[in-house]
Amino acid sequence: MTTSAKLHHLARLRSELTRESHQTAVRELSTLGPAARPVPSAASLAQEQLEWWIFFHAAWPAEIVGTPFGFERVTPRPDGLDLHLAGSDTYLQWLASALLPTVHGEQLHGIPGLRLTRDRTGAPILLLAGTTAQVRLRGITAALWRQCVELARQDFTDAGHQPLWNAPTDTMTALEAEHAPWFHHTSAGPRPFRLASGLLRRIGLFSAAGATACLTGWTTAGAIHEGWKFDFEFIPGHRPDHDHLLRLLTDPDAGLPLRVAGRGCARCPGPDASCRIQLTPIDGLPGGITMLFHSTDEEVVQAWERRWPGEFARIRSGWNADCVRNR
């Protein structure tokens, strides 16, 4: 394979995983250089940590959204991440409220250490205090973001919460520092945030089996929260292509270091299949993923569609139709 052919092959792979346009993927790969992986990992534990927290809060959306967890696409780089948001103003307001840190008594809400700034274009940037970690928000105007933050501030203040996101960026408060790690690092291993960070950087995985009617994720119980479960609920009649999802997820060039450890499928393949797939890290570190695939009752789907008609219009047409536009 020639250098040019290999570049375009990796760009197609990256585009499917990040939902970037092919042109964007080619440009980013050219910047990374020929020795880099198509989807780079975060270069620091702090960057992984910030991405873990964002994924943790967004993985159980407050409403039906027409893209995976309300994210249109991502542009991952070693030193940061561009996160392109999608969804209604109501959803964006919820997401801002879920991420922004506040304190009420000794109770911490949101992402500990999260601070706000913006780049020269006005795009919002989420920082992790005392670190170089950052996530830049795309797909939301500076004016709408300011409105979301102000509405959240009013709601939090009315509820007796003290906002922390405007605190100094060079250090966390004592309460934030206490909650920031989340893991006990001795038991969780050297990179406890890597899995969720890697999944967020490959948000296209969650549309690789087809557009879901509802997609939710959560951390598994136990002392080490780097285990995840995901529930893929499909419109009745859809045949989820979970094999394609698994090929992308475990791809040796661009996937994550995981292997299939267990699989149970009923009535598969078929429109009413019910499947459960378990994956574990190939390097023996803690954590893993369980994925559940099944159809949702038509009555439930119709009720959701009446409540969120705009989002379901996107779901009915399929998420993947949106990820190839030239942006």
Side-chain angles (χ1 to χ4, degrees), residues 24 38 51 55 57 66 73-74 118 152 183 189 200 218 236 248 269 289 295 303 324:
T24 298
E51 293 170 16
F55 193 73
H57 283 288
R73 62 193 186 278
V74 295
R118 58 187 180 182
F183 298 92
L200 181 60
W218 62 96
L248 285 175
I289 297 175
S295 295
V324 295

Side-chain angles (χ1 to χ4, degrees), residues 157-223:
T157 301
D158 292 344
H161 287 241
Q162 176 188 350
L164 299 176
W165 59 84
N166 287 329
T169 61
D170 59 344
T171 185
M172 298 185 189
T173 66
L175 186 62
E176 287 178 304
E178 179 183 342
H179 285 80
W182 185 271
F183 298 92
H184 187 281
H185 287 267
T186 302
S187 60
R191 291 180 58 195
F193 304 101
R194 63 176 186 153
L195 185 54
S197 170
L199 290 170
L200 181 60
R201 287 170 170 252
R202 295 165 176 80
I203 202 64
L205 286 169
F206 296 98
S207 56
T212 59
C214 183
L215 171 64
T216 51
W218 62 96
T219 55
T220 55

Side-chain angles (χ1 to χ4, degrees), residues 219-303:
T219 55
T220 55
I224 301 171
H225 290 260
E226 188 55 347
W228 286 84
K229 284 188 177 181
F230 298 98
D231 191 26
F232 295 76
E233 299 183 54
F234 292 92
I235 293 172
H238 176 75
R239 295 173 180 262
D241 191 355
H242 48 54
D243 288 339
H244 180 56
L245 188 160
L246 289 176
R247 284 193 295 271
L248 285 175
L249 180 59
T250 60
D251 184 89
D253 290 322
L256 291 171
L258 298 166
R259 64 176 181 85
V260 176
R263 181 167 180 166
C265 292
R267 302 178 299 279
C268 182
D272 60 345
S274 178
C275 305
R276 178 188 182 95
I277 300 172
Q278 294 176 290
L279 300 104
T280 57
I282 61 176
D283 53 15
L285 289 176
I289 297 175
T290 299
M291 294 183 171
L292 311 172
F293 301 84
H294 59 94
S295 295
T296 297
D297 291 341
E298 182 62 40
E299 292 182 1
V300 174
V301 171
Q302 290 176 3

